[in-house]
Amino acid sequence: MSEVTIYVPRDSAALAVGADEVATALQAEAARRGLDVKLVRNGSRGLFWLEPLVEVAMPTGRIAYGPVTPEDVPGLLDAGLLQGGAHALRHGPTEQIPYLALQERLTFRRMGVTDPLSLADYEAHEGWAGLRRAASLAPEAIVQEVTQSGLRGRGGAAFPAGIKWKTVAGTAAGQKYVVCNADEGDSGTFSDRMTMEGDPFMLIEGMAIAGLAVGATQGYIYIRSEYPHAVATMREAVRRATDAGFLGDDVCGSGRAFRLEVRKAAGAYVCGEETAMLESIEGKRGVVRAKPPLPAIEGLFGQPTVINNVITLASVPLILARGADFYRDYGVGRSHGTLPFQLAGNVKHGGLVEKAFGLTLRELLYGFGGGTRSGRPIKAVQVGGPLGAYVPESKWDEPLDYEAYAAFGAVVGHGGIVVHDDTADMAQLARYAMEFCALESCGKCTPCRIGSTRGVEVIDRITNGTNRIQQVHLLRDLCETMTHGSLCAMGGMTPYPVLSALNHYPEDFGIAQPSEKAA
């Protein structure tokens, strides 16, 4: 029998449920039986409820099995795993699993397909095509391509990437920087981590293109310390890309330099805010800077700096490889391209869903997520991380795009979606939002530092029934102060989950009278 390739993910989500043990068991059992097996540790496909997902390469494509435990391995081999044989854990061709087949994978098209650290694998799947094209273009032509694509910041702010790049490119300076914000601290989000662990060269390529576009020669990837596998993978990928000439003094033969370093964050949520991140990279305490000046003009070490999120930068290689119009044609309105939505919380089929903007939350929750894992009705869905609003069922059919969500006081953010069933206490979740802000505030501005602490106290008085009507008015006033008076989104957006919980689920706060409800 000829050699058969088996894929077992090395993604953190797969490792957490025993992927290493499954890989070891497969190798040991195959050796014991004298079977010729090549084991590849790929990235995750993002179907987390099926992890560890084992795939077997067949002439017609890969066959998927999952979730596999070490104890399942002998039985799978008995059933003809290496021939794609029938088994209770068999899901058929991986690409035909509906959860995957119904997606529009652009940024994540290689995820789970390749060996994350194989340069040959990356190149065989359109890798470096964007950087090679960029190396042949004038810097302003690269910026124009990104601008024309309609790409906006995927970290949550949704600011047009091309405008930011153009500002940095047009600012005269002896040194410029590109900084990737990989401090993915939002609850229910994992697309940045999956990218760094499962397709690291894509992020490197995007950053190198940004460097060529704006005249930056140095880049930094700022990764949260809670992502040890991502840190290790990115460091090794940077080393390999440098050795191969994709980074360094002469990027892709362009005659232009771009070097890259990985910096590990120290665990502060507020360092996801771009200026606090810059302070941290400079070796200072992670405190938010007042703006202006904008980082694009005076950023890292006082120099012009492009700051983008992982997914923003990872989207760039495809735009350069296939052209701006290809990317721009996905999405709706001013929300162009795709977004990797991340389904988490109390959901049956948690995982990553890359779709063009314009689908609805209901499609994600039921079409992909399959409802709650508990089997109970969905009560509330927090979209956009811990600073995002709780979206009630009346809004689940709104198109998921930046403007549509902003119109009813919500945010798409980084695409994180956390599901709660009907046992959730929305008053306690609102309290947690204030408590989280108090814990994670950098302390620089009073509305955030003090407002969040007072917010916890006020919500406690509301739920205890102490002068409830008066305290509800006080909470709304406090939220208004935090929204308009905070230096950054940490304090400025904490009212989103608080007010959405209060407005849409007043009964959880003990409010029954219509006069106490907000429109």
Side-chain angles (χ1 to χ4, degrees):
M1 174 181 177
S2 58
E3 182 183 71
V4 176
T5 303
I6 299 179
Y7 297 84
V8 179
R10 48 174 286 176
D11 181 272
S12 291
L15 297 180
V17 287
D20 277 348
E21 292 79 2
V22 170
T24 301
L26 275 165
Q27 284 182 308
E29 190 65 18
R32 191 182 70 79
R33 299 183 183 209
L35 301 172
D36 192 4
V37 166
K38 176 188 176 185
L39 186 71
V40 175
R41 302 305 300 273
N42 58 328
S44 174
R45 294 278 192 165
L47 285 66
F48 287 162
W49 79 98
L50 294 179
E51 293 289 9
L53 183 73
V54 174
E55 296 179 74
V56 182
M58 296 280 107
T60 55
R62 295 186 198 173
I63 304 297
Y65 297 82
V68 176
T69 66
E71 294 72 31
D72 293 323
V73 170
L76 281 165
L77 289 169
D78 289 343
L81 173 74
L82 304 189
Q83 295 80 40
H87 189 276
L89 297 177
R90 187 182 188 273
H91 297 279
T94 310
E95 301 289 345
Q96 292 178 25
I97 296 173
Y99 195 94
L100 206 52
L102 292 170
Q103 296 189 33
E104 284 137 353
R105 288 212 163 175
L106 302 183
T107 310
F108 279 70
R109 66 196 182 283
R110 278 180 296 267
M111 205 65 60
V113 176
T114 59
D115 173 346
L117 285 170
S118 168
L119 281 163
D121 244 7
Y122 184 67
E123 192 147 6
H125 292 82
E126 209 178 355
W128 310 118
L131 181 58
R132 287 194 171 106
R133 180 173 173 236
S136 70
L137 294 175
E140 53 271 20
I142 304 172
V143 173
Q144 178 57 32
E145 198 78 19
V146 172
T147 305
Q148 178 62 27
S149 74
L151 177 66
R152 292 163 71 177
R154 298 292 190 247
F159 188 81
I163 293 176
K164 188 180 287 188
W165 288 24
K166 186 176 182 179
T167 304
V168 176
T171 304
Q175 177 67 60
K176 297 179 184 181
Y177 297 100
V178 176
V179 175
C180 174
N181 186 344
D183 192 51
E184 185 180 48
D186 286 357
S187 49
T189 60
F190 42 81
S191 61
D192 291 357
R193 179 190 59 71
M194 281 184 68
T195 298
M196 291 185 287
E197 292 179 5
D199 200 2
F201 295 123
M202 173 173 63
L203 175 56
I204 290 169
E205 184 178 0
M207 292 187 73
I209 292 169
L212 296 181
V214 304
T217 56
Q218 178 65 49
Y220 293 96
I221 308 170
Y222 185 82
I223 307 176
R224 69 193 301 241
S225 58
E226 296 89 344
Y227 283 175
H229 299 292
V231 170
T233 302
M234 284 309 309
R235 282 183 171 153
E236 179 59 21
V238 167
R239 187 190 67 77
R240 294 187 186 192
T242 303
D243 289 347
F246 296 108
L247 294 172
D249 295 332
D250 183 16
V251 174
C252 272
S254 65
R256 288 174 277 177
F258 187 74
R259 301 170 197 87
L260 206 47
E261 284 182 37
V262 172
R263 289 290 175 91
K264 188 164 73 170
Y269 177 77
V270 77
C271 285
E273 195 281 332
E274 60 181 8
T275 63
M277 176 186 65
L278 294 181
E279 291 285 292
S280 178
I281 294 173
E282 291 179 10
K284 303 170 189 172
R285 181 167 169 255
V287 174
V288 174
R289 297 176 184 174
K291 300 176 192 175
L294 296 171
I297 295 165
E298 285 184 39
L300 188 64
F301 302 113
Q303 302 303 315
T305 305
V306 166
I307 304 173
N308 283 130
N309 159 266
V310 171
I311 302 301
T312 313
L313 289 161
S315 302
V316 170
L318 182 75
I319 291 168
L320 267 293
R322 300 193 191 180
D325 290 342
F326 171 82
Y327 191 80
R328 188 181 181 87
D329 285 346
Y330 287 86
V332 293
R334 289 173 51 215
S335 300
H336 297 283
T338 61
L339 185 68
F341 295 98
Q342 299 126 87
L343 289 175
N346 189 343
V347 64
K348 188 176 181 182
H349 296 149
L352 185 131
V353 179
E354 184 178 1
K355 288 286 286 182
F357 289 97
L359 82 162
T360 67
L361 194 54
R362 196 181 300 276
E363 288 174 65
L364 277 174
L365 297 174
Y366 294 103
F368 288 93
T372 63
R373 187 172 182 179
S374 62
R376 301 182 66 89
I378 298 174
K379 177 175 180 176
V381 185
Q382 190 172 28
V383 180
L387 306 179
Y390 288 101
V391 180
E393 188 171 3
S394 61
K395 299 295 184 184
W396 292 356
D397 295 310
E398 294 285 337
L400 272 158
D401 80 79
Y402 296 120
E403 278 66 43
Y405 265 54
F408 66 87
V411 291
V412 173
H414 185 46
I417 293 168
V418 179
V419 181
H420 299 272
D421 72 10
D422 62 353
T423 62
D425 184 334
M426 301 309 295
Q428 288 306 306
L429 287 171
R431 184 188 191 278
Y432 174 73
M434 285 290 192
E435 189 179 34
F436 178 78
C437 181
L439 183 68
E440 296 291 348
S441 173
C442 77
K444 186 166 183 176
C445 70
T446 304
C448 177
R449 183 184 72 250
I450 303 299
S452 53
T453 302
R454 295 289 88 86
V456 171
E457 298 166 357
V458 172
I459 291 172
D460 282 344
R461 289 198 288 271
I462 292 171
T463 55
N464 292 337
T466 308
N467 297 322
R468 188 171 279 150
I469 294 175
Q470 178 193 34
Q471 294 302 310
V472 167
H473 288 307
L474 184 60
L475 181 61
R476 293 189 184 283
D477 285 347
L478 179 62
C479 285
E480 186 176 358
T481 300
M482 290 178 70
T483 299
H484 299 294
S486 298
L487 264 177
C488 81
M490 181 79 238
M493 288 184 64
T494 293
Y496 278 59
V498 175
L499 291 177
S500 57
L502 181 64
N503 291 342
H504 301 301
Y505 308 94
E507 62 279 3
D508 285 14
F509 292 80
I511 299 168
Q513 294 85 357
S515 61
E516 292 180 71
K517 287 189 183 183

